Amino acid sequence: MSKTEFSLGSIETLEDFYKEYDKKAIELKKSYDLLEPLLQFKKKSTDEEVIQKLQWEIEASLFEFRGSRLFSFSSSNGNTIGEIQEYPDLNEYQKVAFNFLANRAMSSQSAYLRAKYNFLLWHSIVKKTNVYAKNASENYIEAINECLIKTKNEEDYSYLIGRIVENLLSIVSESKQNISESKLLIETLLKSDTLNFWAKHGIIDDMLKYPKLFKAQDFTLAIPIFNERIKISTNKLDDFSLINYHLPTAIKVAEKTKTDIKIWYEEVGKANLRLAEQETEDNRNWIKLDYYRAAIDAYRISGNKARKEQIEQSYFELKPNVKLDTFRIDFDEETIKKLKESQNEIKEFALSLLKVPPEIIFVNFANGKYYPKIEDVRKASKENKADFLDFAVTLQFDNNKNISRKFAKDEEKSKLLETYGMRIKETFLPFMHYFFVYGIKSGHLTTKTLLNYFINYTWIGKPHTKIDLGGKLETSNWIFQIAPSINEFFTQVLAWGESKYYSPNFILCIDSLTLKIEGLFRNFSERLNVSTSKGKRNGVQEALAHDIMNNETIRKYFNEEDILLFDYVFSNEGGLNLRNNIAHSFYSENEYHPDKMLLLLAVLFRLGKYNIEERR
């Protein structure tokens, strides 16, 4: 994205600076340069009052809205255990900068900045005043119209329009201010000849989030927009977007307006077939087969029996040509129905627990209430054992394509972990996902409640001491080390749920907590006075996570189900080997799935339940 030029030139006063800054604010926002001129002029200025005002302005720019939720630029654990510090901190900011921000909200020549300042003021005050909400929505509308004019002049402001619409609808829905004006603007945007289709799709998607704001009649323009889209000559990327984003939204609109949904499923079938036709390589026949499957399902719903049967024949003829490095099992309809029912039950159960005080559920996590039971796993593992392979030697590849050999004597543990992993993925991880994601989004679960649990109910929150090389006694607490990763996870989930324009990234929280848990296992051993040192060729070094957990003295302190979970997550002999894969950067960015963070939290709960005392 091109950078917006902003030259201080002969600008000497704050008033002259604001004239130029406000005039270019919308362009600076589009190119992500809104903060840079403030930093430049602050560096140039020598007037302490001007510098202070610019600092307030900078901090105001560091707050970001995702939908209706406000995020600070950064956060970390504070000096007090369980305390999370944010920068900028809204409570601290409003104490000293409230009047300044209120003045800028009135005097700024930029509609976008006036909207943002009013939105921030609306969030800042203890008792919300709709005056700020009204001003924010009015100025968001003006800013969108400004972007629309620039778009007509062949400048691409579609993405920024979508972001601002997201904020506008959130504040309008909550405050009930400027509803008719906002809906009129939405109609203008959907009628616009210059706004990109994907931007219009994003607006329609936002409208569906607010059913109390947008009724069926408000979607009159939506169906023709999708009709126009499917008439355009397609390519592979278009069809992928149609299947995964655009047509599902069209189906939701049709359901809301009670119009024919079958025509859209017909288009889903066509798009899948076009994608299938583009798969011509034999090693990608499994992908082609899946496109056929999706097309069959779409034609079934659309009622096109003839086309469905035709594709079923193509599916049947392709199956013998599908070659996979792994095997595939197709469930029958009854099994699929039962799996769907099971997932719905898991979701309903998880959501029901959000009505219970969090610390009670955390205690249940620690005591293993929701985890797969070891006897069930053992039974399933033995039933699935292939005895005729007992003699075989298996070659395994790790994430970095290194080969290791597994002999028959190792197979029992590996099979047990494999079966346990299947149970974890089928039931426990979906349960954790629903519980934490919905809990965080609803505000029932917060970083503070989770950290307070570890402080009040586990040894993890107890101070521990050690003597440094200088003979001085050092006291520290693990809460300070695990708090940043937990807070980062909560922040990513919140932002993920608030805006479709935000792609979450769980790399930081997973990397951090993985290595901190290794330290917790080591400290657990130290508190029990069990050695964590291991002799190496070049001296004595600290043992790694899987070495500590394989220590027989340590393992006897854990029950079998805890050991099974720890082995599944950290073992290098059939487990996920999480610590090793992260420490050696074997994972690509696509492998940092939130499920790994949920597993780490599960380990943290189970490890924390042992109320050990530090030995002196």
Side-chain angles (χ1 to χ4, degrees):
M1 184 171 290
S2 61
K3 189 176 181 68
T4 299
E5 294 297 328
F6 188 97
S7 174
L8 295 178
S10 59
I11 296 175
E12 296 295 336
T13 67
L14 185 60
E15 182 181 356
D16 289 340
F17 170 78
Y18 276 144
K19 285 180 182 178
E20 186 66 20
Y21 181 69
D22 291 1
K23 184 170 66 176
K24 288 193 172 184
I26 201 74
E27 298 171 38
L28 291 166
K29 177 61 181 176
K30 173 179 174 286
S31 57
Y32 299 97
D33 295 321
L34 200 58
L35 188 61
E36 187 62 28
L38 297 170
L39 296 170
Q40 289 176 11
F41 193 60
K42 182 187 175 187
K43 185 177 180 181
K44 178 180 178 179
S45 182
T46 57
D47 187 309
E48 291 299 324
E49 183 179 350
V50 170
I51 291 173
Q52 178 60 76
K53 288 180 178 180
L54 287 169
Q55 181 61 33
W56 288 332
E57 187 90 39
I58 288 167
E59 291 179 11
S61 294
L62 291 174
F63 287 109
E64 185 68 25
F65 293 98
R66 296 284 176 179
S68 61
R69 195 177 291 273
L70 180 68
F71 290 91
S72 297
F73 177 73
S74 66
S75 57
S76 65
N77 53 301
N79 294 326
T80 304
I81 295 175
E83 174 189 4
I84 297 298
Q85 291 185 339
E86 294 183 330
Y87 178 77
D89 181 272
L90 189 59
N91 292 324
E92 292 298 320
Y93 180 82
Q94 67 187 48
K95 288 178 184 177
V96 293
F98 188 90
N99 291 333
F100 164 77
L101 196 64
N103 181 62
R104 281 288 284 152
M106 292 187 295
S107 64
S108 175
Q109 298 303 303
S110 166
Y112 174 76
L113 291 178
R114 290 196 302 271
K116 177 163 183 169
Y117 298 144
N118 276 287
F119 206 168
L120 191 55
L121 286 165
W122 194 58
H123 275 269
S124 298
I125 53 183
V126 176
K127 184 178 180 181
K128 291 191 174 182
T129 302
N130 278 340
V131 171
Y132 293 122
K134 186 175 186 296
N135 290 340
S137 55
E138 285 176 353
N139 283 286
Y140 273 139
I141 291 170
E142 185 178 338
I144 291 168
N145 280 319
E146 182 182 343
C147 291
L148 193 58
I149 292 171
K150 290 179 178 293
T151 301
K152 289 178 181 177
N153 293 331
E154 298 184 355
E155 297 179 74
D156 187 11
Y157 277 77
S158 297
Y159 180 82
L160 183 55
I161 288 173
R163 286 289 310 279
I164 299 175
V165 166
E166 188 177 62
N167 291 343
L168 170 66
L169 294 185
S170 70
I171 198 169
V172 169
S173 175
E174 191 171 350
S175 69
K176 306 298 185 291
Q177 299 295 310
N178 293 313
I179 293 176
S180 59
E181 293 85 352
S182 299
K183 292 173 74 170
L184 184 62
L185 174 65
I186 295 298
E187 183 178 341
T188 300
L189 292 173
L190 295 182
K191 287 181 177 178
S192 171
D193 294 329
T194 54
L195 203 61
N196 291 333
F197 165 78
W198 62 263
K200 292 182 179 180
H201 169 262
I203 292 169
I204 295 168
D205 195 43
D206 283 330
M207 292 168 65
L208 289 166
K209 291 180 181 178
Y210 303 102
K212 293 183 179 179
L213 200 60
F214 293 97
K215 306 303 179 183
Q217 62 269 23
D218 296 316
F219 290 86
T220 305
L221 295 171
I223 295 297
I225 290 172
F226 289 112
N227 276 326
E228 284 298 315
R229 182 62 177 177
I230 60 178
K231 291 178 183 177
I232 299 173
S233 59
T234 59
N235 57 44
K236 191 170 185 177
L237 182 59
D238 289 336
D239 283 326
F240 179 85
S241 297
L242 279 174
I243 291 169
N244 292 282
Y245 303 108
H246 305 148
L247 290 174
T249 302
I251 290 169
K252 290 178 184 177
V253 171
E255 290 172 339
K256 188 173 185 68
T257 57
K258 294 183 171 53
T259 54
D260 187 9
I261 65 169
K262 291 183 178 181
I263 59 172
W264 303 110
Y265 279 106
E266 188 82 10
E267 294 300 330
V268 172
K270 290 178 183 178
N272 275 288
L273 287 182
R274 288 193 295 266
L275 288 172
E277 289 169 2
Q278 294 176 41
E279 298 296 344
T280 57
E281 298 179 11
D282 290 345
N283 64 347
R284 292 177 63 86
N285 278 339
W286 64 276
I287 298 175
K288 187 171 187 174
L289 194 73
D290 192 55
Y291 285 136
Y292 281 157
R293 177 206 56 76
I296 291 168
D297 194 47
Y299 284 125
R300 177 185 60 79
I301 299 173
S302 75
N304 192 337
K305 184 179 178 181
R307 197 73 173 121
K308 170 177 169 288
E309 292 176 351
Q310 183 182 2
I311 307 307
E312 284 174 341
Q313 181 62 32
S314 298
Y315 182 95
F316 173 77
E317 293 173 0
L318 181 63
K319 278 203 299 182
N321 298 320
V322 174
K323 296 179 181 179
L324 300 173
D325 293 332
T326 56
F327 63 88
R328 177 192 180 100
I329 299 175
D330 291 322
F331 293 128
D332 56 39
E333 291 187 5
E334 182 64 25
T335 301
I336 293 172
K337 180 181 178 182
K338 289 180 179 179
L339 287 172
K340 288 181 177 178
E341 291 173 351
S342 173
Q343 289 298 305
N344 288 334
E345 289 175 1
I346 291 171
K347 181 178 181 179
E348 290 175 5
F349 176 66
L351 296 183
S352 71
L353 293 181
L354 293 176
K355 300 175 183 178
V356 179
E359 61 269 19
I360 295 177
I361 308 304
F362 296 158
V363 170
N364 287 340
F365 276 126
N367 293 326
K369 185 171 182 178
Y370 312 116
Y371 299 70
K373 301 304 177 186
I374 191 168
E375 290 306 318
D376 294 337
V377 174
R378 280 178 178 153
K379 182 179 179 182
S381 178
K382 291 178 180 178
E383 289 175 351
N384 294 329
K385 184 179 179 182
D387 293 331
F388 68 95
L389 290 175
D390 278 355
F391 68 94
V393 176
T394 305
L395 297 180
Q396 286 190 323
F397 295 84
D398 66 15
N399 285 53
N400 214 32
K401 297 184 180 179
N402 296 310
I403 298 176
S404 61
R405 294 164 68 89
K406 183 188 291 183
F407 297 89
K409 64 182 179 65
D410 305 316
E411 194 64 24
E412 184 174 348
K413 179 181 178 181
S414 178
K415 191 67 180 177
L416 187 68
L417 290 176
E418 179 184 342
T419 306
Y420 183 75
M422 290 173 62
R423 294 295 177 89
I424 285 283
K425 292 172 184 175
E426 289 169 0
T427 58
F428 181 68
L429 282 177
F431 166 75
M432 288 278 281
H433 175 89
Y434 291 129
F435 180 78
F436 274 94
V437 171
Y438 282 90
I440 293 171
K441 186 176 179 181
S442 67
H444 187 70
L445 302 180
T446 65
T447 304
K448 186 174 182 179
T449 58
L450 184 54
L451 291 178
N452 279 340
Y453 165 77
F454 287 113
I455 292 167
N456 296 323
Y457 294 91
T458 75
W459 66 269
I460 295 172
K462 294 179 181 179
H464 64 98
T465 58
K466 64 179 180 179
I467 300 174
D468 65 15
L469 290 174
K472 294 181 179 179
L473 197 66
E474 290 184 344
T475 301
S476 60
N477 195 304
W478 281 103
I479 294 298
F480 289 111
Q481 297 203 48
I482 67 172
S485 59
I486 291 174
N487 185 60
E488 172 70 7
F489 175 65
F490 275 60
T491 299
Q492 291 296 327
V493 172
L494 278 173
W496 186 16
E498 284 297 317
S499 174
K500 61 180 168 295
Y501 297 97
Y502 184 78
S503 298
N505 189 310
F506 296 96
I507 293 177
L508 286 177
C509 58
I510 292 173
D511 278 0
S512 176
L513 192 55
T514 298
L515 300 182
K516 296 303 179 290
I517 286 179
E518 180 180 19
L520 283 167
F521 274 104
R522 184 174 290 111
N523 188 237
F524 184 91
S525 303
E526 292 169 350
R527 289 172 186 251
L528 296 171
N529 203 31
V530 176
S531 172
T532 59
S533 300
K534 189 174 182 179
K536 299 284 185 179
R537 184 179 62 177
N538 57 345
V540 177
Q541 299 176 2
E542 286 298 305
L544 301 180
H546 58 78
D547 293 322
I548 296 171
M549 285 181 284
N550 285 335
N551 185 306
E552 291 302 322
T553 305
I554 294 298
R555 290 175 77 88
K556 72 180 183 181
Y557 283 94
F558 303 128
N559 66 39
E560 286 185 305
E561 292 192 338
D562 291 337
I563 290 174
L564 188 57
L565 173 65
F566 300 159
D567 283 345
Y568 173 68
V569 177
F570 291 108
S571 174
N572 62 343
E573 298 176 357
L576 296 178
N577 204 8
L578 199 58
R579 186 268 176 202
N580 182 68
N581 288 330
I582 283 174
H584 293 89
S585 299
F586 287 163
Y587 287 142
S588 70
E589 66 274 17
N590 297 322
E591 292 176 279
Y592 277 88
H593 193 277
D595 279 356
K596 288 184 173 66
M597 188 65 185
L598 295 176
L599 281 173
L600 290 170
L601 290 175
V603 169
L604 207 58
F605 282 122
R606 301 299 286 267
L607 180 60
K609 74 178 180 182
Y610 295 91
N611 193 23
I612 56 174
E613 297 292 336
E614 189 169 17
R615 295 191 181 183
R616 302 288 183 180

